[in-house]
Amino acid sequence: MSRGLRFSLFWRIFISIWLAMALTMIVGNLVTHTLKDRERQAIERQAGLQELAAEALSVRENEGRGDAWSFLKEQGSKLDLHLFLIETDHEEGNLPESIRERMESGGWYRQRPAVIEVAEGYRLVAWPRLNGDAWLNPRFFQWLELALAFVIITLACVWVARLVSRPLKHMESTARTIAAGDNSLRVSDGIARRRDEVGALATAFNDMTAQLCNLLDRQTHLLRDISHDLRTPLTRQRIAIELASEGGADDDLMASILRQNERLEAMTSQILTLYRVSEQGGDIAREGVRPVRVINDVLRDAADYAEHRGVDCLLTISPDCRHASVLGDRGLLQRAFDNILQNALDHTPPGRKVHVALCSEQQQLVLEVRDEGPGVPNELLPHLFEPFYRADKSRGGKGWGLGLAIARDIVATHDGSIEAFNAEQGGLVVVLRLPLFTGGS
């Protein structure tokens, strides 16, 4: 579909600033000329100015030019005006050099003075004094032009800034929302339809987001379908292994095959859990859950594995959260707690301990699991909760990188948060926070 004629953002900004400058000059000159014209007209309509001009002419004819000049200077000081009597052989636009110099020094060189016809052959030329109180100061017009220029250029800059910044801020907020998990959001059609670089960027952003979301959906569905399809043959394989073992097959071989079968079943179960949590989002059945009971069940289920690993689990529960509860799905929360604990057990050397602490702070339940393993390089910490990510260089090669990813999604579904960092004394610390439903008693 054609986007029509494209109007470059460069030309939009260039033309906007150019028009603002041109408009400033036009409006400034127009306003200044209008005010000066009105002031000139007001001077020409000044009561008694015609009689004063006639009297000055009489003084000139009877007493001489010097007395007429002194008379006009005295009267001009009273009226805050410069007054000069000139002969009509000087055109209005071609005043005597001395008068033009006086006008330029007073800031009136760009405006016609007031001219009053006195008698045949003479005119009275008048314009305001520089610091007179009865008329506008000529510098006022210069400040007025500067003020108009400031206002118009400021408005143009605001318009240009909004033209560029508003769609970019909208795209930024859209990108952040998509990064937070809302893949359905796109840049608005109003911005995408713009016929400039911003519109092209918005269209490319929407196309890129749609393509990435499509790839992610296909990946998720592929994992789901593979996991579903694997469960049935794995179950049948397990039965066949057990029958073969009962039929006298090599016990060590059968045990090895059975362990691999169990690992595959566990992996498919993890993938299906990850898919289910991602699909449900926050739409899960919720009820009051006692985290103390859940963590005790998790530790009891993991006791055999911990003993096999030669690792001790130490549980510390603060008194204020012994009877606390959170709102959520007990099965999912148990899976999240179990995954975090399992990760700690997998990476704690024999003879060391895993420390589990449960407390409450600021209306939140806090579960902290600290192992005594080698820890994780700081640059790898942000990736620990990504699906299928394994920090093999520091944490060994067990598991499939799904446990902490599932825990993160489960916690997010329960409006909580999870983070990981290295303890000062060594080992990895995973801290899980959930909003409290009821506090301890």
Side-chain angles (χ1 to χ4, degrees), residues 120-191:
E120 184 176 355
Y122 290 95
R123 293 172 180 165
L124 181 68
V125 179
W127 71 90
R129 290 177 179 267
L130 180 60
N131 298 313
D133 296 330
W135 309 97
L136 291 175
N137 190 320
R139 299 191 186 278
F140 164 78
F141 302 106
Q142 298 175 4
W143 285 106
L144 179 63
E145 290 182 0
L146 288 175
L148 287 172
F150 176 78
V151 171
I152 294 175
I153 292 178
T154 299
L155 292 175
C157 291
V158 169
W159 184 83
V160 170
R162 285 170 62 89
L163 177 71
V164 177
S165 65
R166 288 187 68 182
L168 293 181
K169 289 178 67 176
H170 173 72
M171 282 189 278
E172 178 194 5
S173 63
T174 302
R176 292 186 182 277
T177 304
I178 292 173
D182 186 2
N183 295 337
S184 63
L185 198 61
R186 297 290 184 274
V187 177
S188 66
D189 291 339
I191 296 177

Side-chain angles (χ1 to χ4, degrees), residues 43 208 231 255 261 338 370 374 425 438:
I43 294 173
M208 177 192 68
R231 298 194 78 176
N261 178 270
D338 183 69
R370 177 173 65 86
Q425 62 271 42
T438 58

Side-chain angles (χ1 to χ4, degrees), residues 273-326:
T273 301
L274 180 64
Y275 173 77
R276 181 163 69 94
V277 173
S278 301
E279 285 292 298
Q280 285 179 327
D283 187 19
I284 60 172
R286 297 173 185 262
E287 60 180 358
V289 179
R290 296 277 293 276
V292 173
R293 294 179 179 176
V294 177
I295 195 64
N296 278 320
D297 290 344
V298 169
L299 288 171
R300 186 168 49 252
D301 293 341
D304 291 340
Y305 182 71
E307 183 178 358
H308 172 73
R309 292 273 305 162
V311 176
D312 290 333
C313 294
L314 301 181
L315 175 63
T316 303
I317 302 175
S318 63
D320 58 348
C321 69
R322 289 184 180 278
H323 302 286
S325 65
V326 297

Side-chain angles (χ1 to χ4, degrees), residues 20-50:
M21 296 176 64
L23 187 63
T24 297
M25 296 179 61
I26 293 172
V27 172
N29 283 322
L30 182 62
V31 171
T32 300
H33 280 74
T34 300
L35 290 176
K36 286 187 175 181
D37 275 339
R38 289 192 175 186
E39 189 155 77
R40 177 177 57 80
Q41 294 169 8
I43 294 173
E44 291 175 351
R45 292 194 298 268
Q46 180 78 10
L49 203 59
Q50 186 76 35

Side-chain angles (χ1 to χ4, degrees), residues 291-292 294-296 298-299 314-317 321 326 333-341 355-361 364-370 407 411 417-419 421 429-434:
V292 173
V294 177
I295 195 64
N296 278 320
V298 169
L299 288 171
L314 301 181
L315 175 63
T316 303
I317 302 175
C321 69
V326 297
L333 288 175
Q334 184 166 342
R335 173 59 69 89
F337 294 172
D338 183 69
N339 286 355
I340 296 172
L341 180 63
H355 304 267
V356 181
L358 201 62
C359 64
S360 63
E361 59 181 39
Q364 286 187 321
L365 180 86
V366 180
L367 172 66
E368 180 180 295
V369 179
R370 177 173 65 86
V411 171
S417 64
I418 189 171
E419 61 177 333
F421 56 89
V429 181
V430 177
V431 179
L432 181 154
R433 291 181 172 85
L434 294 172

